[in-house]
């Protein structure tokens, strides 16, 4: 098993030192881990959402140095990058090209100009309406896939975080979105952090996971740890769900390519 989704205090909303995340990982049945903190935000300044630009180099250097400190555990250099709109694609591409990332998570947190996963924005959900948020969100994900900027889709059904459920049937939209991942050669993450949120479900839901299997889209696993003891959290359950859907392996990334697989 591997955990590719680990944050650091640089993003402004996580706790614990990077060493503490690694020390906890060493107590878990993990063959490798990866840090994937929030890339500085290109479109707007949100110090509580992502690391500032002046911290990106420090982040990269610290992860690379930790590889020397912990030779017993492979540590990958990942990043979680937001998709905003076509206008920010070139700047995102050039920022990502400046560092030797092993993988780039593509995430959509924003529709219009507000973060759907921020509990301070529940009134925006009221204003826009649940169905419209879902529509906007999946349209953004398709654009993110088509941009070619990202290797892995994270928390693919994030709008369910607070328990918001659409009234319309979105299965066709979701399948089209999954096809866009396939066309872009993207991998999808099983992200266990949803179990720690009001929805109390992993991202993605099992119905989506079955579709990912239908399209033979590879998987990685991430805890989205924002505290050291969240590393590898609920992975036994995640593995069971993946196996129930027919998955047998996990993708291993290096320098933005799948270089190997581990048995699930
Ligand atoms: Zn995220
Ligand atoms: Zn994250």
């Amino acid at each position: 098993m591997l955990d590719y989704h680990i944050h650091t205090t640089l993003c402004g909303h996580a706790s614990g030192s990077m060493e503490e995340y690694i020390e906890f990982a060493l107590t878990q049945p993990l063959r490798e881990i990866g840090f994937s903190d929030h890339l500085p935000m290109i479109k707007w300044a949100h110090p509580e959402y992502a690391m500032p630009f002046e911290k990106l180099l420090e982040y990269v250097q610290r992860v690379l140095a930790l590889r020397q400190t912990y030779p017993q555990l492979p540590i990958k250099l990942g990043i979680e990058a937001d998709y905003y709109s076509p206008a920010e694609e070139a700047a995102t591409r050039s920022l990502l090209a400046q560092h030797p990332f092993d993988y780039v998570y593509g995430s959509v947190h924003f529709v219009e100009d507000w973060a759907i996963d921020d509990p301070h924005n529940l009134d925006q959900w009221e204003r826009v309406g649940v169905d419209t948020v879902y529509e906007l969100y999946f349209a953004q994900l398709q654009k993110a896939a088509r941009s070619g900027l990202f290797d892995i889709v994270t928390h693919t059904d994030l709008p369910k975080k607070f328990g918001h459920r659409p009234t319309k049937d979105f299965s066709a939209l979701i399948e089209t979105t999954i096809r866009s991942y396939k066309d872009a050669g993207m991998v999808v993450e099983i992200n266990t952090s949803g179990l720690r949120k009001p929805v109390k479900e992993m991202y993605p839901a099992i119905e989506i996971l079955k579709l990912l299997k239908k399209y033979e889209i590879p998987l990685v696993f991430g805890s989205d740890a924002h505290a050291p003891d969240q590393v590898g959290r609920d992975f036994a359950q995640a593995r069971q769900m993946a196996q129930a859907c027919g998955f047998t392996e996990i993708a291993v990334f290096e320098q933005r390519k799948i270089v190997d697989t581990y048995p699930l």
Side-chain angles (χ1 to χ4, degrees):
M1 192 49 86
L2 52 77
D3 188 345
Y4 271 179
H5 202 144
I6 299 175
H7 287 275
T8 78
T9 52
L10 294 172
C11 71
H13 59 273
S15 61
S17 68
M18 292 169 84
E19 288 81 1
E20 287 174 303
Y21 285 88
I22 297 167
E23 296 287 347
F24 193 83
L26 290 169
T27 71
Q28 299 295 303
L30 294 168
R31 293 174 66 165
E32 69 175 66
I33 61 164
F35 285 95
S36 55
D37 210 356
H38 294 283
L39 188 74
M41 296 216 157
I42 284 171
K43 190 166 183 181
W44 36 54
H46 272 299
E48 72 286 17
Y49 287 167
M51 73 177 89
F53 279 93
E54 62 272 20
K55 290 285 181 192
L56 181 57
L57 183 60
E58 178 187 333
Y59 167 72
V60 169
Q61 288 172 339
R62 285 172 71 177
V63 175
L64 298 182
L66 285 164
R67 281 184 184 164
Q68 313 304 318
T69 318
Y70 295 94
Q72 67 273 47
L73 182 70
I75 300 173
K76 295 289 163 69
L77 173 65
I79 197 84
E80 179 175 0
D82 270 84
Y83 184 80
Y84 312 96
S85 80
E88 290 79 25
E89 287 180 19
T92 304
R93 187 167 280 110
S94 71
L95 187 58
L96 291 172
Q98 287 168 25
H99 300 286
F101 294 118
D102 288 309
Y103 54 86
V104 176
Y105 275 117
S107 59
V108 170
H109 299 103
F110 294 89
V111 303
E112 302 173 324
D113 57 355
W114 57 281
I116 60 166
D117 60 331
D118 184 336
H120 299 102
N121 289 337
L122 290 171
D123 56 330
Q124 300 276 23
W125 277 91
E126 294 273 321
R127 182 181 61 80
V128 178
V130 173
D131 286 357
T132 306
V133 173
Y134 271 79
E135 266 161 32
L136 292 169
Y137 174 80
F138 283 104
Q140 281 291 87
L141 269 186
Q142 289 178 24
K143 278 195 235 164
R146 281 196 298 267
S147 75
L149 286 168
F150 312 110
D151 308 314
I152 309 172
V153 185
T154 180
H155 46 61
T156 186
D157 50 354
L158 183 65
K160 71 182 180 183
K161 175 177 175 179
F162 300 113
H164 294 106
R165 299 290 184 183
T167 59
K168 281 199 225 163
D169 177 10
F170 278 103
S171 46
L173 182 61
I174 288 171
E175 188 152 356
T176 309
T177 308
I178 289 170
R179 248 184 262 123
S180 72
Y181 304 157
K182 181 74 183 174
D183 294 344
M186 289 178 86
V187 168
V188 174
E189 171 197 56
I190 297 194
N191 180 313
T192 56
S193 74
L195 291 167
R196 311 191 298 268
K197 301 292 156 43
V199 67
K200 297 214 168 4
E201 252 183 37
M202 282 181 241
Y203 310 109
I206 192 155
E207 299 74 30
I208 296 179
L209 204 54
K210 284 178 186 159
L211 279 173
L212 295 172
K213 181 62 194 160
K214 176 177 154 188
Y215 287 95
E216 293 296 343
I217 291 175
L219 287 186
V220 298
F221 287 72
S223 62
D224 219 337
H226 284 75
D229 69 351
Q230 293 171 349
V231 174
R233 179 82 65 90
D234 296 314
F235 274 22
Q237 197 180 329
R239 171 198 271 134
Q240 229 172 32
M241 190 166 96
Q243 284 172 336
C245 293
F247 287 95
T248 56
E249 53 189 35
I250 309 167
V252 176
F253 274 86
E254 216 170 279
Q255 295 182 2
R256 305 204 56 185
K257 297 222 163 17
I258 297 177
V259 293
D260 199 0
T261 56
Y262 291 156
L264 190 58

